[in-house]
Amino acid sequence: FLADNHQAGRLDVALYGQLAAGMTPGTYVSGETATVTPTEGRIDRSMYLPPNSVANAAFLETLRLTLIHELTGPGGTPDGLELAYATPRSWLAPGRTVAVHNDPTTFGRLSYSIAVQPHRVRVSLAVPPVADLHVLRLRLRLPDGRPITKVELNGSPFGRFDRSTETVDLSGRHGRLNLTASF
C-alpha cells in the first residue's frame, strides 16, 4: 500500500520499525502488524495476531519494496518497475553505495548499483530486455533533498528527469545502462 501510493518516508519508518521492534534479538517474533510507538491507554507497543515467527519475511518484503517496486497496469497485468523509490536518504550519502544483484522480477532478473560521490551519483543498471516492461523509473532520494541538476545516460545528456520528484524516467530502455546524475 505504501509503495503503491508513493509514501517513501512511511515505508522507511515501517522498514526501521520492523527491524528495531519486530526483529527482537534471539526470537524474531512479531505480529502481522505492530505499532511503532505505544497506543493511547497502553504503556507499550501493540501487536496484531502474535506471535508470527515469519516476521522476517515481512521485513524482507518491506526491504525489497524500498529497492524494487513492481507496477501493475489495468487488470493487474505487470507494467513496470520503480527502482530505489523508497531508499532511505541516509543510504545515499556521499561515499555510500546501494546495490541490487540479480533480483528476480516479473520481467526477469535485474541488477543495479548506485554509488554516491560528493556532487554526483553514478548508477549502473542491467535491465531485462523485455517488451512488456513499459515503465522504468529510478528515484535518487539524496540526503537533504538536494535536487538533480543534470543527467547523462551512457555518456550523452538525458533530459527525462524531474527535479521535484528526484526521478529519472528510463522507460523504453533496457540492457546495460550507465547513468550519471549531478546535484
Side-chain angles (χ1 to χ4, degrees), residues 80-159:
L81 299 169
E82 294 175 327
L83 308 178
Y85 251 58
T87 303
R89 290 187 186 280
S90 62
W91 294 8
L92 294 180
R96 295 206 168 164
T97 300
V98 172
V100 171
H101 298 286
N102 212 21
D103 194 70
T105 72
T106 303
F107 304 99
R109 297 208 174 258
L110 172 86
S111 296
Y112 71 85
S113 67
I114 303 171
V116 186
Q117 300 169 342
H119 297 288
R120 78 176 54 130
V121 177
R122 295 191 187 277
V123 182
S124 176
L125 300 101
V127 181
V130 293
D132 55 348
L133 178 58
H134 301 119
V135 178
L136 180 62
R137 292 187 292 249
L138 169 72
R139 179 161 290 160
L140 298 171
R141 299 184 73 230
L142 299 168
D144 304 324
R146 289 175 271 171
I148 299 168
T149 57
K150 180 174 87 171
V151 174
E152 290 182 0
L153 182 62
N154 295 332
S156 298
F158 189 72

Side-chain angles (χ1 to χ4, degrees), residues 164-183:
S164 65
T165 62
E166 308 166 301
T167 304
V168 180
D169 185 355
L170 297 166
S171 299
R173 311 282 178 158
H174 56 80
R176 286 247 172 240
L177 305 174
N178 292 299
L179 183 138
T180 301
S182 300
F183 56 91

